[in-house]
Amino acid sequence: YQGLAGRSTNEVLQLYSAHGQQQKLQRNSVVIQLHGAIKKRLKQDLKSLHSLAVELSKDFQRRSKAYLYQILTAVQGIQLQNEAMQMLQIKAFDLEQSLEEVTERYEKEKQKRRALHNSLVELRGNIRVHCRIRPLLPFDTAAGHSISQDRQRNFSEKVAYAVDDETVLVKCSRPGHASINKTFQFERVYNPLESQDTVFADVAPLLTSLLDGYNVCIMAYGQTGSGKTYTMLGPQLEENFAYAIEDESELGIIPRATQEVFRLISEKPPGSYWVEVSVVEVYNNEIFDLLAKDSCGKVSGVKRDVVTTREGKSDVPLLMYETVENASEFLHLVNKGLQLRVRHPTLVHADSSRSHLVVTLTITTIVSGDNFGTSWEDEQTSQRLSKEVSCTFPQKMRDNTSASSSRASSPVQLEATEKMKQVKTRLQLVDLAGSECVGMSGVTGAALRETSFINRSLSALADVLGALAEQRSHVPYRNSKLTHLLQDSIGGDAKLLVMLCISPGQKYLTESMQSLGFGTRARQVQRGQVKKKNVPLPSKAK
Ligand code: ADP
Ligand code: MG
């Protein structure tokens, strides 16, 4: 500014503008320089960014390829697994099918084997023995008064098992006793879960035989409480018949057999069959006719006797036979008989397991003259049997009600036809008294008598089987009324089925072993081929 002193305004202005221009030039060159530097830097950054981006995208491509590969392999793996799974499923299906086929074949083979066994049994005249093990029941575990809890627990332990449908295993080890591990074979063994239906299914073929002309006897053997009455009649049938009828699935062999007999008869020509029933109780070695009526016409147990006819057959003279036309009529009659079994004053026993019950269905078949000639096997046998049959069955005691005389199947009407002949077959259904060996100590009076009679009659039954098994010439049928009454079924020409009833608990071990032993001995009896009653009878005397 000192230099400007004394200069003119123009000069000053010129100086200022020159200075400004110089500064402007300087600024411009700086800006240009800066711009260049920035541009350079930006270019560099852009370049590195670009390469980074390229790098990233390459990496991304690489990775996605790897993932894609992994996904593809996984998918392929899954596909392979699916295929393998399908193959396995097909294999499993094939295996299942072949298992089914094998099972089916096995069942068929088993049936064949059983059929063969049955024919063998038939040929040798063996007694068929089926064994039914009942379930453990609340009363098996009910605490006793005089025994310790430990013993109580042991008592209610199971010792008898159905291993399969032909084998019973008794297995038990008790401190202080030899351990038991024993098996028993029978024609059929029922486990505790098998129903009344199943049991009856095995009995039903015998009923077909009955209508084909064979005598049949089904007998329940076992200690008291082992299920004899349940198996033969059904639960509580004796006390409360109506209850049992309500639940048909619980019905036992006797009502079912009758239904089946009437069903089979309904398939035959009408009037060609008729059925008569007798109900008998053997108590204290006496035979009581539970259908006989006294002079007033009221039902009351009447004592009867069993005799041997000249032909060597057993017979009960004067035994009451009632004609029945259907199963419910039959059940009504049996029920009446069973009520009496409990109420009759001469029958002092408190419960039914103290007596043997024998329900007999006699089926009379009308064979026309044209048919019977062809069914004879040989003349001699037929003549012999013809006599036997006519004597074996007592004259039917007919009640003279108008209802019975108007029946289409009335024997009287049929006898009038010259060409018609009768064949009688018999179905005996037996509920034996309890087989337990009751000790005699401390028992007196009526109870002692009762017990000793039961023991004697059952051991007479065992003796008869023993004599038959050993084919002794003398068979002691007449040692007891029971064996005498059942003589023709046990030793004769009937198809006989013994239904052994077993309680599974340890408490009953001795009795169960005894029953299984009885059944085993019964199986050993060979009576020769069971005979068919295809023999026409001359009609009854006119
Ligand atoms: P038993 O006539 O041999 O003395 P019961 O037939 O009276 O024996 O049976 C005794 C008890 O056991 C009855 O209450 C009966 O209902 C029951 N019972 C027997 N067997 C069976 C079974 N298989 N299933 C269910 N309960 C049974
Ligand atoms: Mg009973």
Side-chain angles (χ1 to χ4, degrees), residues 200 203 206-207 210-211 214-218 232 253-254 256-261 275-278 330 358-363 393 424-430 489 494-495:
F200 183 70
V203 170
L206 286 173
L207 303 171
L210 181 76
L211 264 74
Y214 293 93
N215 286 334
V216 174
C217 175
I218 302 165
M232 293 307 284
I253 290 173
I254 295 181
R256 281 169 195 261
T258 319
Q259 281 169 358
E260 177 66 3
V261 164
V275 181
E276 292 159 297
V277 180
S278 72
F330 162 85
V358 183
V359 177
T360 308
L361 269 92
T362 307
I363 292 142
F393 301 97
K424 281 177 187 275
T425 51
R426 197 162 50 165
L427 171 64
Q428 273 188 320
L429 301 155
V430 187
S489 293
K495 294 191 179 190

Side-chain angles (χ1 to χ4, degrees), residues 389-431:
V389 176
S390 57
C391 298
T392 307
F393 301 97
Q395 199 78 23
K396 188 169 92 84
M397 295 181 61
R398 304 182 47 73
D399 41 24
N400 292 327
T401 60
S402 57
S404 90
S405 60
S406 68
R407 279 170 184 154
S409 57
S410 158
V412 182
Q413 287 176 11
L414 289 159
E415 275 157 21
T417 319
E418 235 359 274
K419 277 193 161 182
M420 297 297 189
K421 308 287 175 189
Q422 301 176 9
V423 178
K424 281 177 187 275
T425 51
R426 197 162 50 165
L427 171 64
Q428 273 188 320
L429 301 155
V430 187
D431 182 8

Side-chain angles (χ1 to χ4, degrees), residues 416-487:
T417 319
E418 235 359 274
K419 277 193 161 182
M420 297 297 189
K421 308 287 175 189
Q422 301 176 9
V423 178
K424 281 177 187 275
T425 51
R426 197 162 50 165
L427 171 64
Q428 273 188 320
L429 301 155
V430 187
D431 182 8
L432 290 173
S435 65
E436 60 278 4
C437 301
V438 187
M440 301 286 189
S441 58
V443 186
T444 52
L448 176 66
R449 231 169 94 77
E450 206 175 61
T451 301
S452 76
F453 276 122
I454 294 171
N455 290 351
R456 265 191 272 167
S457 60
L458 290 175
S459 59
L461 182 60
D463 290 345
V464 162
L465 292 179
L468 285 168
E470 289 169 21
Q471 305 192 319
R472 272 185 251 149
S473 55
H474 174 69
V475 182
Y477 292 113
R478 290 159 85 167
N479 279 0
S480 118
K481 292 273 163 70
L482 175 72
T483 47
H484 200 174
L485 180 70
L486 299 177
Q487 173 177 342

Side-chain angles (χ1 to χ4, degrees), residues 132 134-135 137 139 223-230 235:
R132 187 180 202 184
R134 73 151 165 80
L137 293 167
F139 64 78
Q223 66 162 136
T224 302
S226 60
K228 295 181 300 297
T229 304
Y230 177 84

